[in-house]
Amino acid sequence: MPKNAPESSSLVGAEYEVEIGPVAHGGHCIARTDEGRVLFVRHALPGERVVARVTEGEETSRFLRADAVTVLDASKDRIPAPCPYAGPGRCGGCDWQHAKPGAQRRLKGEVVAEQLHRLAGLTPEEAGWDGTVVPAEGDKLPAGEVPQWRTRVQYAVDASGRAGLRRHRSHEVEPIDHCMIAAEGVSELGVEKREWPGMASVEAIAATGSQDRQVILTPRPGARLPLVELDKPVSVLRVEEKDGGVHRVHGRPFVRERADDRTYRVGNGGFWQVHPKAADTLVRAVMQGLLPRKGDTALDLYCGVGLFAGALADRVGDKGAVLGIESGKRAVEDARHNLQGFDRVRIEQGKVDQVLPRTGITEVDLVVLDPPRAGAGKQVVRHLAALGARRIAYVACDPAALARDLAYFGEAGYKPRTLRVFDLFPMTHHVECVAILEPVEKRR
């Protein structure tokens, strides 16, 4: 029986002394109680013996969530968390502050390998992966040092108007004075130093390759915007209560990002890779994998503001052609602006599974897809496989979604040629993957 067991069916607060097993997808490790209950334990490392306190779950739950509140036998990979806000019940932004940087990458690699095996039936060798998780340039730091990589930070605001970050799986706010993983351009705005009365959240953005700085304010219902005076010049946008749209208050409604020797306009807080090295790292991996040729036709699906479409257009030349598909209206406007210098690039707005069949395209040479966290899905994968591309680049921010879609590609006649895994989210459980696929039977 657990210590401190509550009287109701809820097991929150109950404590178990457990041996920590393997890492699992989501920033926790797996453990089992003496009675055989499965615990998903945060703030632990494989091989440790800890006291785990339940944070979610009942007697009838299939598994329980828990925090390691006391470490009885520590892993050699454990270090004191550099961040004072990390730990049980504190900020939920980082998962692995308590692990050495090399150990973090090994854990992430184990998660990717497990997802490939479980969901796609692939070994690392069959996926064309050497098993390594590669840090971004400049991120290979000694234990106890934290890379300042997060160029976009969404601060939650508590009832008193103080900015902080959400606690793990909670709406509660952990007030902070400084986020260690925030990029210098975000930290220098000083969001944490001032009060934000009436605001629900404040997102701070520091562009890469320009001095553009932006804050996006989400007011609580009925609240008025405060006068924004930060430590650096900044544009201000507001999320409207009625429609959820983002509107300019003052300054530019966009920031200018830089990648692959091009400048990209990103409006209204639209999607851009968060790590300052991520866009260039991913473009390089995709282009090295696809090896575009002059005159190729290519698709860029879920194209955002046109990062990969621009890289493809540069490489396929005037006789090639690129079609991008993106569902976000503002992102499409930005992509068309960003790529207006290319006569043979077209950007269509809509969901990929709806727009792609309507294009009438029956064959292409190359495909890039960078779907949202849920993945592309069987319908889109089957359609892509029928187009007969000689290579497909799949950029994935979730290894489970990637593995599921690799299984669908396998059924449709495509296999991974190479897989590369990048640690573009240090201290968290997230990774970015680039898989290059080709037909099982070469078609061209």
Side-chain angles (χ1 to χ4, degrees), residues 216-245:
I216 303 174
L217 305 178
T218 303
R220 297 183 188 277
R224 300 179 62 181
L225 287 188
L227 181 65
V228 177
E229 294 180 348
L230 293 171
D231 295 347
K232 294 286 182 178
V234 65
S235 299
V236 179
L237 283 70
R238 168 192 176 123
V239 177
E240 293 293 342
E241 182 181 341
K242 292 181 180 178
D243 60 5

Side-chain angles (χ1 to χ4, degrees), residues 5 13 29 57 112 184 213 222 248 329:
C29 297
V112 173
E184 183 179 353
R213 304 290 181 262
R248 183 179 71 91
K329 181 179 179 182

Side-chain angles (χ1 to χ4, degrees), residues 3-4 12-18 20 39-45 48-55 65-73 78 86-90 98:
K3 304 173 185 177
N4 306 332
V12 173
E15 295 182 354
Y16 296 88
E17 186 175 317
V18 292
I20 300 298
L39 299 180
F40 289 162
V41 186
R42 283 174 60 81
H43 311 292
L45 294 171
E48 293 186 327
R49 189 152 193 88
V50 306
V51 175
R53 181 180 298 152
V54 176
T55 56
R65 296 186 183 275
D67 286 340
V69 293
T70 304
V71 179
L72 304 173
D73 186 8
R78 177 175 285 276
R90 305 297 300 276
H98 58 287

Side-chain angles (χ1 to χ4, degrees), residues 27 42-44 67-69 71 78-99 104 144 146 164-168 173-181 426-428:
R42 283 174 60 81
H43 311 292
D67 286 340
V69 293
V71 179
R78 177 175 285 276
I79 59 171
C83 177
Y85 305 106
R90 305 297 300 276
C91 172
C94 292
D95 305 293
W96 300 117
Q97 288 266 350
H98 58 287
Q104 293 183 35
V146 176
L165 298 170
R166 299 266 183 213
R167 291 170 184 154
H168 182 61
V173 179
E174 178 76 19
I176 65 170
D177 296 317
H178 173 65
C179 175
M180 293 188 74
I181 64 172
M427 303 292 152
T428 79

Side-chain angles (χ1 to χ4, degrees), residues 363-387:
E363 60 178 352
V364 294
D365 296 302
L366 303 172
V367 176
V368 180
L369 67 157
D370 185 3
R373 191 165 296 280
K378 183 179 287 191
Q379 180 182 343
V380 169
V381 166
R382 284 179 171 174
H383 194 121
L384 290 179
L387 299 179

Side-chain angles (χ1 to χ4, degrees), residues 412-426:
Y414 275 78
K415 65 179 181 180
R417 175 185 175 88
T418 61
L419 173 65
R420 299 177 70 184
V421 184
F422 299 97
D423 187 15
L424 301 181
F425 309 88

